[in-house]
């Protein structure tokens, strides 16, 4: 075996080991079919599956629709494409070959339209395989005359079927279309959104309910007020009896002073500011961080550190801003960890909220409102002064009233006056304390409720903005599949040109798409895994042997690195094995007679990322089929078993012939 490489060697190209960075399953219903769905609906979903690169499931859906009586030229056309997509003749079962021959005889029974013509051209192309290039002109002209929708579908899904001179004639058009679509629909700016998880909704810590102490104070307050009123009336009556004019002045002074003390005392003692770090963080109540071993909490704190370090206000270095906001970050992180600590909820789903809070903190610092709530919670100096003066005047008025009452009464009048003053003082103090407790708790509940509503509205707005951006940016399954197909087409073309080969020189080829050494991955429910970084491995089978080319692809911009090339004879491939591990995934092992065994990671485990209506086996089969594993493994297995005798078994003259009756 000889090897050459146009780039530095990377173990990820041949012995792929995977380090998952992030993964997500989008909760989409694009492939969902109700058990009672009509044949037309099953057919529609089948076509979508075919266009999105899942031909194995497309065959099932379209076959089900046909079995329930829904068939015409369009349905049969898509069934033929689903049957042949990503396969060669040798991948077909005997039953599938018989069904294809049966359908070729049905073409004449359908009314004339574009779908009937596309179906006829498809079978004519199959019949033209292996013929001389000069004899393929008429069928190529028929293919060229088809509407672009049908023509492009044929070229795409018959990629492995069409070989030799016929493929050479069509290759230029295939390359042109791939070059046009490869970066279409703003690929570079949109791919990232596919791997972003669906965000979880906005949440805020709710306000604390009214405390039991406040409820007890509210219950005891009427008794204290009644006692205060009774004592004050007795003292006032005794003063009135002694000197009515002076009693009126003292009563008015006491009323004005009491009202003033209540008004400004409420501003002073009627508020209960939160601890500074909670005010700064905007949280409703203290939160206690989870234990250190809580992985989710650690990841939340890490994300807060990251976003605060990259969203710094002017004049701050990241380190200085992190030091300045330590208490704020800890308070916010504790709140988010408490709100979203759920089973199977990854921190990626709340990253939008952490980012929003980091931006909000920076913006509040920039506009000078970061500590505004804390300053607003402090009583102004005027309130303190007015409260002290009013209480002094009230005390003086009470003592003056006592003197007036005592001066004009006879025993036991003075005793009653003293008792009335003491009762008013005690009950007044108790009533004021209870009243302040009730008002303070009411103010807290009202404040926290208002802040809860404001913060929830702000977070919901941020959530809607982020979700709208993802929905508008995230590529569809069809776009993702189209871009990947174009990448593979470009890669195949470069390999052919490098080895100076044409399609006439090839017996067949196979493309295996696998995850790279590190990646983000995502899929829609019922669809295959798609990766941010791939290893695309191409096998070119010629009569002289096998040429294997592999390269790592960054899917967002289609850049490549670590390209590797190997050449080996058919008899050098001694065995092909597949290792399946439910916790790891699928590994394909190639054993060569003159080299070490090579393990190729084909697919990672996915049982922990299944939707409720999915099974591990179903998703595994879908992903393996989309990766090209089934076709590639069958080819390599056949070569390992037969050596060069495999070529005779691939004789194109042995391929089934499909004839369209006139």
């Amino acid at each position: 075996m000889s090897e050459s490489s146009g780039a530095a060697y990377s173990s990820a190209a041949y012995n792929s080991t995977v380090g998952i960075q992030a993964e997500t399953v989008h909760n989409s219903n694009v492939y969902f079919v109700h058990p009672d769905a009509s044949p037309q609906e099953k057919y529609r979903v089948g076509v979508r599956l075919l266009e999105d690169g899942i031909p194995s499931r497309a065959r099932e859906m379209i076959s089900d629709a046909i079995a329930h009586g829904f068939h015409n030229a369009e349905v049969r056309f898509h069934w033929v494409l689903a049957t042949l997509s990503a396969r060669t003749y040798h991948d077909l079962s005997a039953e599938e070959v018989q069904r294809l021959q049966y359908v070729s005889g049905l073409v004449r029974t359908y009314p004339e339209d574009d779908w009937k013509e596309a179906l006829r051209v498809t079978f004519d192309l199959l019949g033209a395989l292996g013929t001389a290039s000069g004899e393929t002109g008429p069928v190529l002209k028929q293919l060229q005359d088809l509407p672009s929708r049908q023509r492009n579908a044929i070229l795409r899904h018959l990629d492995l079927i069409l070989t030799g001179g016929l493929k050479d004639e069509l290759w230029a058009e295939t390359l042109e279309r791939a070059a046009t679509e490869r970066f279409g629909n703003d690929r570079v700016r949109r791919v990232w959104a596919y791997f972003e998880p669906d965000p979880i909704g906005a949440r805020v810590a709710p306000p604390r309910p009214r405390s039991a102490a406040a409820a007890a104070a509210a219950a005891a307050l009427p008794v204290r007020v009644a006692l205060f009123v009774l004592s004050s009336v007795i003292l006032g009556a005794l003063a009135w009896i002694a000197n009515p004019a002076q009693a009126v002045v003292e009563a008015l002074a006491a009323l004005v002073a009491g009202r003033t003390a209540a008004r400004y005392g409420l501003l002073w003692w009627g508020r209960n500011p939160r601890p500074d770090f909670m005010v700064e963080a905007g949280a409703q109540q203290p939160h206690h961080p989870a234990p250190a071993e809580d992985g989710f909490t650690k990841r939340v704190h890490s994300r807060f550190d990251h976003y605060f370090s990259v969203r710094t206000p002017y004049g701050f270095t990241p380190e200085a801003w992190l030091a300045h906001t330590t208490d704020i970050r800890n308070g916010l992180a504790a709140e988010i960890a408490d709100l979203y600590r759920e089973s199977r909820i990854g921190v990626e789903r709340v990253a939008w909220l952490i980012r929003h809070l980091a931006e909000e903190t920076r913006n509040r610092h920039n506009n000078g409102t970061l500590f505004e709530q804390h300053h607003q919670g402090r009583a102004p100096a005027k309130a303190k002064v007015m409260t002290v003066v009013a209480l002094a005047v009230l005390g003086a008025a009470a003592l003056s009233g006592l003197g007036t009452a005592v001066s004009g009464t006879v025993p036991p009048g003075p005793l009653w006056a003293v008792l009335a003053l003491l009762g008013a003082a005690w009950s007044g103090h108790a009533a004021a304390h209870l009243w302040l407790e009730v008002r303070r708790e009411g103010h807290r509940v009202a404040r926290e409720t208002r802040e809860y509503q404001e913060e929830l509205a702000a977070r919901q707005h941020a959530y809607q903005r982020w979700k709208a951006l993802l929905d508008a940016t995230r590529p569809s399954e069809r776009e993702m599949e189209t871009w990947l197909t174009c990448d593979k087409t470009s890669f195949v073309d470069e390999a052919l040109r490098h080895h100076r080969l044409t399609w006439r020189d090839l017996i067949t080829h196979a493309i295996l798409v696998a995850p790279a050494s590190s990646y983000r991955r995502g899929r829609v429910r019922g669809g295959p895994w798609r990766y941010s970084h791939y290893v695309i491995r191409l096998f070119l089978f010629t009569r002289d042997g096998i040429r294997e080319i592999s390269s790592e692809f960054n899917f967002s911009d289609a850049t490549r690195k670590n390209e590797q090339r190997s050449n080996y004879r058919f008899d050098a491939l001694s065995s092909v094995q597949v290792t399946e591990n439910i916790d790891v995934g699928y590994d394909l092992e190639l054993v060569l007679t003159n080299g070490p065994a090579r393990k190729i990671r084909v697919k990672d485990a996915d049982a922990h990322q299944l939707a409720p209506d999915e099974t591990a086996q179903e998703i595994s089969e879908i992903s393996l089929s989309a990766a090209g594993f089934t076709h590639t493994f069958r080819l390599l297995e056949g070569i390992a078993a037969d050596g060069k005798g495999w070529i005779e078994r691939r004789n194109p003259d042995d391929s089934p012939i499909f004839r369209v009756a006139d």
Side-chain angles (χ1 to χ4, degrees), residues 342-354:
E342 300 175 3
S343 176
R344 305 177 72 85
I345 295 297
V347 70
E348 294 81 12
R349 296 190 64 190
V350 295
W352 68 270
L353 178 55
I354 298 174

Side-chain angles (χ1 to χ4, degrees), residues 125-146:
L125 283 170
L126 299 180
L129 295 176
T131 60
S133 59
E135 300 176 12
T136 60
V139 68
L140 292 177
K141 178 63 169 60
Q142 295 173 30
L143 178 64
Q144 190 64 36
D145 291 340
L146 287 177

Side-chain angles (χ1 to χ4, degrees), residues 298-574:
K298 285 183 178 180
R299 290 191 293 272
V300 169
H301 277 272
S302 177
R303 286 299 178 99
F304 267 101
D305 291 345
H306 167 72
Y307 284 120
F308 268 73
S309 67
V310 298
R311 283 162 172 77
T312 58
Y314 178 77
F316 277 87
T317 63
E319 295 77 13
W321 181 241
L322 288 175
H324 186 68
T325 57
T326 299
D327 289 337
I328 295 177
R329 292 198 324 279
N330 289 340
L332 288 172
E335 179 194 6
I336 299 306
D338 283 347
L339 289 173
Y340 292 97
R341 187 183 291 110
E342 300 175 3
S343 176
R344 305 177 72 85
I345 295 297
V347 70
E348 294 81 12
R349 296 190 64 190
V350 295
W352 68 270
L353 178 55
I354 298 174
R355 185 167 53 246
H356 161 71
L357 293 173
E359 293 171 352
E360 184 181 56
T361 304
R362 178 196 60 190
N363 295 340
R364 286 173 56 195
H365 176 275
N366 288 339
N367 58 32
T369 61
L370 186 57
F371 304 103
E372 186 178 66
Q373 288 178 306
H374 177 58
H375 296 318
Q376 289 177 352
R378 294 176 177 174
K382 178 183 176 181
K384 297 180 180 180
V385 172
M386 292 299 294
T387 302
V388 171
V389 171
L391 288 176
V393 172
L394 179 61
L399 292 174
S400 177
L402 174 64
T404 302
V406 170
S407 65
T409 60
V410 296
L415 177 61
W416 281 105
V418 172
L419 292 177
L421 178 62
L422 293 176
W426 176 82
S427 60
H429 177 271
H433 175 76
L434 295 175
W435 177 70
L436 287 173
E437 178 70 21
V438 172
R439 291 297 299 268
R440 182 163 50 238
E441 187 66 4
H443 178 271
R444 180 196 63 77
V445 172
R447 181 197 67 210
E448 291 187 0
T449 300
R450 182 181 66 255
E451 292 173 353
Y452 166 79
Q453 294 171 345
E454 292 173 352
E455 185 63 20
L456 181 60
R459 293 185 186 186
Q460 286 177 336
H461 182 61
Y463 167 78
Q464 292 297 337
R465 287 202 320 268
W466 178 246
K467 190 173 185 304
L469 175 64
L470 287 182
D471 292 343
T473 308
R474 181 178 290 137
S476 66
E477 288 298 295
R478 188 174 307 174
E479 288 174 319
M480 294 290 286
E481 180 63 23
T482 297
W483 293 330
L484 180 58
T485 300
C486 293
D487 287 342
K488 291 190 288 187
T489 299
S490 175
F491 186 53
V492 170
D493 181 63
E494 290 188 23
L496 290 174
R497 288 190 283 108
H498 174 81
H499 290 288
R500 294 182 175 84
L501 296 172
T502 66
W503 288 105
R504 292 181 178 85
D505 302 320
L506 300 183
I507 302 173
T508 188
H509 72 289
I511 301 177
L512 184 62
V513 180
S517 55
S518 63
Y519 57 79
R520 301 179 70 191
R521 70 175 182 176
R523 65 179 179 88
V524 300
R525 190 175 66 169
W529 284 111
R530 301 185 185 278
Y531 302 90
S532 61
H533 291 80
Y534 284 97
V535 173
I536 298 182
R537 184 171 278 99
L538 171 65
F539 297 91
L540 300 176
F541 300 89
T542 69
R543 293 191 173 275
D544 297 327
I546 304 171
R547 290 175 171 84
E548 179 185 345
I549 309 97
S550 66
S551 183
E552 292 186 34
F553 272 76
N554 182 339
F555 189 69
S556 63
D557 57 9
T559 55
R560 290 165 36 194
K561 65 178 181 179
N562 297 332
E563 183 167 307
Q564 308 223 348
R565 304 183 187 94
S566 298
N567 304 315
Y568 42 90
R569 303 182 309 277
F570 290 118
D571 54 6
L573 184 61
S574 61

